Structures are given as structure tokens and as C-alpha cells.
Amino acid sequence: MSRFKREQKADSLVGFRTKTAEPAVPYGLLKGARKSGQLNLSGRGLKEVPQSVYRLNIDTPEEAQQNVSFGASDRWWEQTDLTKLLLSSNQLTQLSDDIRLLPALTTLDLHDNQLSVLPSALGDLQELQQLRLSHNQLSSLPVEVCTLKNLWSLTLQQNLLENLPEELGHLENLSELDLSNNHLKDLPSSFGCLTNLQKVNLNHNKLTCLPHSLARLTKVKLLDCSSNQLTDIPDSLSEMLALEQLYLSHNKLRLLPRLLAPALKELYVGNNQIEHLETEQLSCLKTISLLELRDNKITMLPENITLLSTLARLDLTNNDITTLPASVSLLPNLKVLLLEGNPLRGIRRDLLTKGTNELLKYLRGRIKEEPEKADEGHTAMTLPSQARVNVHDIRTLKVLAYSDKQADSVPDEMFDAALDQAVATVNFSKNQLTSIPHRLVELSSSLTELDLGFNRLRCCSPDICSLLRLTHIDLRNNQLSDLPSEMKNLTKLRSIILNYNRFKSFPEVLYEIFSLETVLLGNNQVGGLDPARLIKLANLSTLDLSNNDLLNVPPDLGLCTSLRSLSLEGNPFRTPRAAIVAKGTDTVLEYLRSRIPM
């Protein structure tokens, strides 16, 4: 019998033998990880972590058996400890205690798996800084995790957590904590010991109250407690000195919270059971710019709504309001007033559909003005251009308005009337302006908001850069393709609206305005942006890049963790898929981070 036939006969039982499994992790990946210190095994269908991963820095690599020359170019003995291990979007049901064999890890990503328990050995990873455990089936958090002194980011959303260990307060360096979409009924009393927290997400739990110890979280800028069962908010939250955004919608609140938080800009209390707005609560909101009260049971607005002097957006959709006080028109910064779904009487329905400006104009007309003193002349004067200077608006509201005139210039009489009146808001929108009026510089000492939307501006004059107090600029629906570099001098600018222009890239100067919180660039031709520079805009919370020409979304954009709202729909990129984009900002950013190349 030939040798070939003998071997063939010897293999006749091959169907009954266990086939040797191919390695779950390609050797090339492990070899690269020894050099870079980073290993990405996301989305590989793993049901368990191979031993070769746990023992990456312990076992002698294969190449050591083949090449012992110290002059070799492949210097296998100069391996780097593994610091970053990404295991997201697999089918892991457990993590071995052998994870302690990777003590140098600083990032461990286990999100989107099927983990129901965690090993106590996680406590041995004392260098760990980021631990991502979202979208699993965890019902508890091992107390050993609370010993990770260097941990600054812990994400646990979309699990089955019912309680948290009291030792959680030991995570003294934690700055970002996401516990949303769990089954938490209360928080440990040690929660207030997490004094470095800046962003806390507790939405979609079963919380009935918040601990008074939250007052000690003086660095928190964003607190999301929406979709819980809260009936009251402790006054002690007023001591959260850095708090800017507070989300309390979809709870069981009957009163507007009494909050003296000095930095609070946005308060969301929609979908509660609020019936009355009390003076005591309103007077506390000294810096509020956005107040969402939709879907409550409010029957009336008090005349002293004017206490909210910084308010720019008021959402009262779907309440029980029957009358609207004319005093709401005296709010000097109000730009958006939403009233749909209220049984309003005395205001024509068509007036409500014309937008906030028309409604406020109508309400101002209902205010009985006191007669001016004889030496102050008339309250208004007619210009040759048929413009009408509303002296009341200029003197009382500090608003200079010349909008919807289809004019190609602003009459000098408008600026003459505004001199020495400390005008804070200018509205020259809906005209045919081709350049920015040069006399705007005369208002530089007081002007904070400028609306030049719906004009025909082709370029933005450097004159605008001398308006150093500007906090808001609206340049939508023009023909702009660039912004002057001098705009970097606008160090107080918080928002800029550039929708419907002709920008082909993210304006360079915006990367240098570090005060920016909102950038709206939708419906342009933007083909790219630089996330490495964008991440330096630490205050940026809203970025609209919808309906542009983005062929790809850089994964590093996921590192812009200050973003609360990111709009990317209507672009030609293929990834992230539309289904991911539709899930919202947090999901998109998490996806992008998982795509960062090793």
C-alpha cells in the first residue's frame, strides 16, 4: 500500500474528531498590540475573551522562538504593556478574573455585550481611567470597581442596575458618569463625594428623590434626571455652582423647582404636572436662557414673567393657557415663544403661525404706554424712507429693529435714535443688505445680539469684529462662504447661526472662538472638519452639520464629549448608518469612538 493510501486510511475517522479551532484573534493583531499597547477586538462575535489576550504581556511571543538576534529589525523584546482594550459589540457573557493580568490598562471598553456580572479582579486595574459598560445586562456593580482611583469616565447606561454600592463615593477623580436607562430607585448617600463630576446622566430610572448631598457636586455642568418619578427637587441643588443644564422632564413635579444655581442657563421641566408658576421660583432663575415647560397643566402666565430678563427661548406647548399677558413682550432677549396646543383666547390663530416676532409685536401694541415728557418729543417719528423708529423699544427694551423691509440699507435715523441708549439687540433681518452696516460699531459698548439673517451678504465685514460684547450672531440665509479671521476677538460669543449659506468647510476662525456653545451650519456645502481642533471648543454643546457634503465623519469627532446635540442627517456619508444617526447624539458619539483606529 502506498504511503499516500496509508495516510488517507489513517484520516478516515476525521469526521469524528474535534476540529482544531482557528485562533479567534489573528496573530498579527496581537503582535501589533504588543508594539502599540492598544488592541481593538470590537464587533468580532466573541463569546469569551481568548487567553492569548489576557496573557499578551506574559507569554513569550512566537517570534522569540524564531529570531533571537539582538540586531533584528523586529525587536520583539521591546513590547509595550497593553493600555487600551476594546471589546465592544461582541457576545461576551462573562469576563475572566484573568483580566488582572493586564494591570496597565487605562481604557477598557465592554459596551454592547451580554455581561450579567463583573469579576472582582477589575479592582486590580488601578491604572484604569475609562470603563465603558453600557448596553449589557448588569444588575449590580462590584464594590471593587469603586477602588479605581484614576477612573474619570464610567458609563453604565442600558443595564439592569437596581442599586449602587455605597463605596461609589470613593471614585474621587470621576468626571463623567452615565447611569441612564437602569432600574435605580435611589442613589447612595456617598454620591455627593464625587466632587470632580462634570456630567451626570440619570435619566430613565425609577428615582423618587435626589439626595441632598448632590449640593456638593460644585463642578457639575450637566445633570439629567429626566424620565424618573421625582415629585420634588431639593433646594440644596442651588449650591451646584457650575450647573448650566438641568433636565427634569417626564417626572411628577407639581411646582417649578426653586433653584438659585448662579450659572443655570437651560431648565427642562416638560411633561410634569406643574399648574402654577410662582414668583418665588421665577425670581431665582437669574441667568436662564432656555425654559422648557411643555406638556404641563399651566393655566396662566404671571405678569412678573418679566423677571426672566435673560430668557431667549420659552416653550409652553400643550398646556392649558387661555390668556397671554402683554408683559411677556417686554422680555428683552426672548427670541422663541412656543404656544401650540393651548386654548388661547383673544389671539388670532393665524397670528400664532406667523412666529415669535409678530406675536411679540402684537403684544407690545396692547401695552398702554405712559405719556412721554414734553421735552422728550414724540414716541416715534416718520422718516423719509417710511421707516418708523420705535423709541419705546429702543429706550425700554434696548432693541433696535429694522426688519422685513426688503431694504438695501438701514437709514441713518435708526442709528441716530439709538445713540447713547445702550442698545443690546439689533434686528436687521429679512432685507436686501449686501454689506454689514458700518454704523453698527457705534453700538459696540452695549450690543450683545445681532440678527442679519435673510439678507444678501456675500462677505462678513471685519467691522463686526469690533463688537466685542456680542454673545449671539444670526447670519442664516445669506451668501457667505467665509468669515474674517478677526472674529477670534469675539471672546464672549456663545452662538452663531450660519444655516443656508455657501460654506464649503467649517469656518477656520470658529476653531479659535473658545466661548462658543452653539454652531449651526446646516444646509451649506461643508465637506469636512477638523475634530482635533473642534475638541478644543470645550463649551460647544450644539453642532448642526445637517444637509451638507460630508463624505465621511471622522471617528475622532466622538471625542468631543461636550456635545449634547449633534445633527448629521442629510449628508452623503455611508457610516455611521442612518439607523445609528437616528438614535441620537450619545449613540453617534459612542459609535464614532469605537471606530477610532488603533
Side-chain angles (χ1 to χ4, degrees):
M1 186 180 290
S2 69
R3 179 184 175 189
F4 173 76
K5 287 183 178 180
R6 285 199 305 270
E7 289 178 353
Q8 194 175 38
K9 184 176 180 180
D11 289 337
S12 62
L13 298 177
V14 69
F16 298 94
R17 295 182 182 134
T18 302
K19 189 173 182 179
T20 303
E22 294 196 6
V25 182
Y27 184 73
L29 271 181
L30 297 177
K31 182 178 179 181
R34 289 191 182 95
K35 292 182 179 180
S36 67
Q38 302 181 4
L39 180 58
N40 189 345
L41 298 176
S42 299
R44 289 183 170 269
L46 298 177
K47 294 185 177 180
E48 61 180 17
V49 181
Q51 278 296 309
S52 57
V53 174
Y54 291 130
R55 302 185 62 82
L56 184 70
N57 296 131
I58 295 177
D59 292 345
T60 304
E62 289 182 10
E63 57 264 35
Q65 313 295 331
Q66 305 164 2
N67 189 348
V68 295
S69 170
F70 286 90
S73 58
D74 192 1
R75 304 165 71 88
W76 56 265
W77 58 88
E78 293 183 352
Q79 66 178 10
T80 300
D81 285 341
L82 193 66
T83 59
K84 187 173 185 178
L85 177 57
L86 308 183
L87 291 163
S88 63
S89 300
N90 282 293
Q91 300 171 35
L92 303 178
T93 57
Q94 63 178 356
L95 195 66
S96 167
D97 278 333
D98 287 340
I99 191 69
R100 62 163 56 98
L101 300 178
L102 299 170
L105 281 180
T106 59
T107 297
L108 178 57
D109 189 349
L110 292 161
H111 86 265
D112 191 20
N113 277 285
Q114 299 170 26
L115 298 171
S116 57
V117 293
L118 295 172
S120 58
L122 280 177
D124 292 346
L125 307 183
Q126 286 297 307
E127 298 300 317
L128 205 58
Q129 298 176 18
Q130 297 184 68
L131 180 55
R132 302 170 188 161
L133 296 165
S134 62
H135 296 266
N136 278 285
Q137 299 172 25
L138 299 172
S139 57
S140 63
L141 189 67
V143 67
E144 288 79 9
V145 169
C146 303
T147 67
L148 302 175
K149 298 293 186 182
N150 290 305
L151 198 66
W152 64 263
S153 176
L154 177 59
T155 55
L156 283 158
Q157 66 268 34
Q158 291 284 353
N159 276 285
L160 305 173
L161 297 174
E162 295 185 359
N163 52 64
L164 298 169
E166 188 63 37
E167 291 81 1
L168 186 72
H170 295 167
L171 296 174
E172 55 190 31
N173 283 312
L174 203 62
S175 64
E176 178 181 308
L177 177 60
D178 194 336
L179 292 162
S180 60
N181 289 277
N182 278 283
H183 300 158
L184 297 173
K185 294 181 179 179
D186 52 32
L187 299 174
S189 58
S190 65
F191 205 87
C193 297
L194 303 173
T195 53
N196 276 307
L197 277 178
Q198 296 184 27
K199 182 177 179 180
V200 184
N201 194 342
L202 297 166
N203 72 54
H204 286 87
N205 277 284
K206 299 179 179 180
L207 299 174
T208 56
C209 63
L210 297 176
H212 288 277
S213 63
L214 282 180
R216 295 160 61 187
L217 305 182
T218 56
K219 294 182 181 179
V220 168
K221 294 183 177 182
L222 184 151
L223 176 59
D224 190 345
C225 297
S226 55
S227 297
N228 278 281
Q229 300 173 24
L230 300 173
T231 57
D232 190 24
I233 302 299
D235 292 349
S236 57
L237 259 63
S238 297
E239 299 172 36
M240 298 178 71
L241 303 180
L243 186 62
E244 296 180 358
Q245 295 174 292
L246 178 58
Y247 293 80
L248 296 169
S249 54
H250 291 274
N251 277 286
K252 298 180 179 180
L253 301 176
R254 292 187 175 275
L255 288 173
L256 194 66
R258 185 179 182 278
L259 295 171
L260 284 164
L264 189 63
K265 298 173 184 175
E266 299 180 12
L267 176 59
Y268 299 82
V269 283
N271 293 90
N272 278 283
Q273 301 169 22
I274 299 173
E275 297 181 2
H276 305 288
L277 300 179
E278 306 290 346
T279 299
E280 184 181 14
Q281 281 79 18
L282 292 177
S283 62
C284 295
L285 303 175
K286 298 185 181 301
T287 58
I288 200 75
S289 62
L290 185 155
L291 180 56
E292 190 227 56
L293 287 160
R294 63 176 300 135
D295 293 284
N296 276 286
K297 299 178 181 180
I298 299 169
T299 56
M300 63 173 291
L301 283 185
E303 288 286 344
N304 57 13
I305 190 73
T306 51
L307 290 170
L308 306 180
S309 60
T310 57
L311 190 63
R313 182 184 178 93
L314 176 59
D315 189 349
L316 293 163
T317 304
N318 297 331
N319 276 279
D320 298 327
I321 299 171
T322 55
T323 59
L324 201 60
S327 60
V328 74
S329 66
L330 299 179
L331 291 169
N333 294 297
L334 190 63
K335 297 292 185 299
V336 178
L337 175 60
L338 302 177
L339 291 163
E340 293 85 356
N342 282 280
L344 286 167
R345 296 194 298 265
I347 298 179
R348 301 191 315 274
R349 181 61 51 186
D350 65 311
L351 187 60
L352 293 176
T353 63
K354 289 183 178 180
T356 300
N357 285 339
E358 290 299 316
L359 178 58
L360 295 182
K361 187 186 298 184
Y362 167 77
L363 293 173
R364 290 187 197 113
R366 285 168 40 181
I367 298 177
K368 294 180 180 179
E369 299 179 16
E370 295 181 5
E372 298 286 344
K373 295 178 182 178
D375 60 351
E376 290 180 341
H378 301 293
T379 59
M381 56 184 176
T382 302
L383 307 176
S385 62
Q386 300 303 309
R388 184 174 176 83
V389 178
N390 192 323
V391 176
H392 174 271
D393 280 6
I394 293 174
R395 293 179 178 173
T396 305
L397 304 178
K398 306 302 179 185
V399 173
L400 176 61
Y402 188 73
S403 65
D404 207 7
K405 307 291 185 185
Q406 300 304 310
D408 58 8
S409 64
V410 178
D412 283 337
E413 290 87 343
M414 298 294 295
F415 291 103
D416 293 342
L419 287 178
D420 302 320
Q421 295 299 324
V423 167
T425 301
V426 167
N427 183 0
F428 292 160
S429 64
K430 298 180 181 178
N431 283 295
Q432 300 290 322
L433 303 179
T434 57
S435 62
I436 295 176
H438 67 278
R439 289 193 65 181
L440 276 175
V441 298
E442 298 173 14
L443 310 176
S444 61
S445 63
S446 58
L447 189 60
T448 59
E449 300 193 7
L450 175 61
D451 188 348
L452 289 165
F454 297 91
N455 277 286
R456 299 171 62 187
L457 302 175
R458 290 182 175 273
C459 64
C460 192
S461 165
D463 286 345
I464 201 173
C465 307
S466 62
L467 306 174
L468 301 181
R469 296 178 65 86
L470 278 179
T471 61
H472 172 81
I473 301 177
D474 191 340
L475 292 166
R476 77 183 82 184
N477 291 77
N478 277 284
Q479 301 170 27
L480 299 171
S481 58
D482 198 8
L483 296 176
S485 60
E486 293 87 350
M487 279 187 73
K488 65 183 179 182
N489 297 325
L490 303 181
T491 56
K492 296 185 178 181
L493 191 64
R494 290 168 47 191
S495 66
I496 184 166
I497 303 177
L498 298 168
N499 297 33
Y500 292 97
N501 276 282
R502 299 179 180 177
F503 292 95
K504 293 187 176 180
S505 61
F506 192 89
E508 284 289 314
V509 69
L510 296 188
Y511 290 122
E512 302 181 59
I513 306 178
F514 301 113
S515 57
L516 278 173
E517 298 172 5
T518 299
V519 175
L520 305 185
L521 260 170
N523 293 278
N524 279 276
Q525 302 162 35
V526 175
L529 74 163
D530 185 350
R533 299 176 68 187
L534 195 68
I535 199 172
K536 295 178 182 179
L537 303 183
N539 297 308
L540 188 64
S541 62
T542 301
L543 176 60
D544 181 2
L545 291 168
S546 60
N547 299 312
N548 275 282
D549 294 337
L550 293 173
L551 292 175
N552 62 77
V553 182
D556 284 353
L557 185 60
L559 299 176
C560 298
T561 54
S562 64
L563 284 176
R564 181 73 185 172
S565 174
L566 173 63
S567 300
L568 294 171
E569 61 273 8
N571 280 280
F573 56 75
R574 299 183 65 181
T575 56
R577 301 187 309 276
I580 292 177
V581 174
K583 289 182 179 180
T585 300
D586 287 344
T587 300
V588 171
L589 294 179
E590 191 169 327
Y591 169 83
L592 291 174
R593 286 193 291 269
S594 73
R595 304 280 291 185
I596 295 176
M598 306 302 292

